[in-house]
Amino acid sequence: MIDPKGLLIGNYKLIYTDYGLLKEHTTFVRLNSNKSQSWHDDNVRAIGMLLDFYDVYGAIDDPFKLFLRFSEVLRNGTINESGHDPIGLYWPPRSIQVQQKTVSHINALSDFLIALNPSHKKINPLRKSTQYEDMLKWAAYCRSKNNSFLGHIKGQISDIGVSRLISVRHSLAPLTQSPKCFPKDKYTDFVTKGLKSKKPFIHLRNWMAVHLMHFAGLRESELCHLWVDDVIGIRDGRTIRANITLYHPEFGIDRFGRKRAKVLASYGLEPRNRHAEKRSTRAGFKQTVVDSATEQPNGYSSKIYFFGEGSDVLFWNLYSGYLNYLAILKPSHPYLFVNEDGSVMTLNNFNRQYRFAIKRIGLVPGKTFGTTPHAHRHSYKQALEDAGLPEKIIQLCLRHHSLRSQDEYGELSSERIYEMMNSAGHNFREHYASSEMLEIIGSL
């Protein structure tokens, strides 16, 4: 969206009907510009579904009755037992989670419209809630407050005593298996043989990415926000180990005192989490805990903690070899992970090469088998738990926004966390830093 003066308002998903842009919804979206991309996607999907239903079902004078019928269609779908759909939408029954999200987004827009014009009829009025409903709200509120890192400054619960006339019943969470970790006995083969490429630069890049996910717990999308100078080398005796800080892609202020968004603007770029969803260069960014150990002035950063004595040294070896190729490519941006032509690495490209590498060593790609990029983060978490590290340390290392047991250990310096991680991961060199593996890195 561009304003009349030619200034960028923002990149939003909006709803366009036969009568033009849905102006009230556009205003509502702009007022919620701080929400995540997934929130905006879900919101447009929910409002779009309601409009599609209204278009084919026919006008109903009472908005409440229309919404009641819509909620029933969400629950039951529109296809009858004979496979026929009398209104032509061919919607399957939606899950409890989808129903709840859809109804919630429509409620929010309806409340906004009522605030603009109180004479409008409410699509989903309030009613007095039952004792059971209030009990569930209190339980959810207490859980959120206790798990929050800033739980002591949380606001008060405001909707005790009232509920919506139309609501989606909560269901018991299904029993699920624990998240699958990457097969431990296949890791070495994967990085040395699976990721192997005719182009050493690509092998080094993908090995670095996997190493960060497996031994430092980075999310796949977080790789796309790392810059070359986010990695610094710290001499430790005769070796050099990598020290990495992950900055918020927009608001982070690096060790040079530069704000990320401002630096990117000097390259004619915008933060990748702000790219439109359809752009291949888009990479989301999950809110992380404010890490006091980084001692950053604005708190929009997190220290990256390698698990295993020597895993940070091995990464520095990979990084040093990779820099030699970057010096030749001379990318026109600050990002660490790039393609052969110097352009930024995209998640689609990385995932495609990752799946090919999995198949090359005889494995099947998939969550069920622990052979997806995110499985490495599960492996990292499992390794921390197996080593008996305190819960707070694990949560700091995973950069979870919700921190529990924060009082028991107090404030921990980055040096203290580093010592604990090194001590717990003493067998890293034996399994993952063999002389053979170091020779492979040296040959790239």
Side-chain angles (χ1 to χ4, degrees), residues 19-77:
Y19 304 99
L21 197 65
L22 206 60
K23 293 182 179 179
E24 292 83 357
H25 177 258
T26 300
T27 303
F28 176 73
V29 167
R30 290 176 62 186
L31 290 172
N32 287 278
S33 60
N34 62 321
K35 301 286 189 180
S36 68
Q37 185 65 45
S38 61
W39 183 93
H40 284 273
D41 293 343
D42 291 338
N43 180 266
V44 168
R45 188 179 300 112
I47 307 305
M49 288 180 68
L50 179 63
L51 292 177
D52 287 343
F53 176 75
Y54 176 81
D55 188 50
V56 300
Y57 193 78
I60 299 179
D61 292 336
D62 187 344
F64 170 72
K65 290 181 180 178
L66 171 69
F67 193 44
L68 175 62
R69 190 68 195 96
F70 173 75
S71 66
E72 292 169 340
V73 166
L74 282 179
R75 183 174 63 251
N76 303 320

Side-chain angles (χ1 to χ4, degrees), residues 376-403:
H376 295 283
R377 183 170 162 84
H378 292 311
S379 295
Y380 176 75
K381 177 177 181 289
Q382 189 64 55
L384 300 181
E385 291 176 347
D386 291 346
L389 287 167
E391 184 180 19
K392 183 183 178 182
I393 297 295
I394 296 175
Q395 291 172 324
L396 279 171
C397 292
L398 290 168
R399 300 173 307 287
H400 282 163
H401 183 58
S402 173
L403 289 185

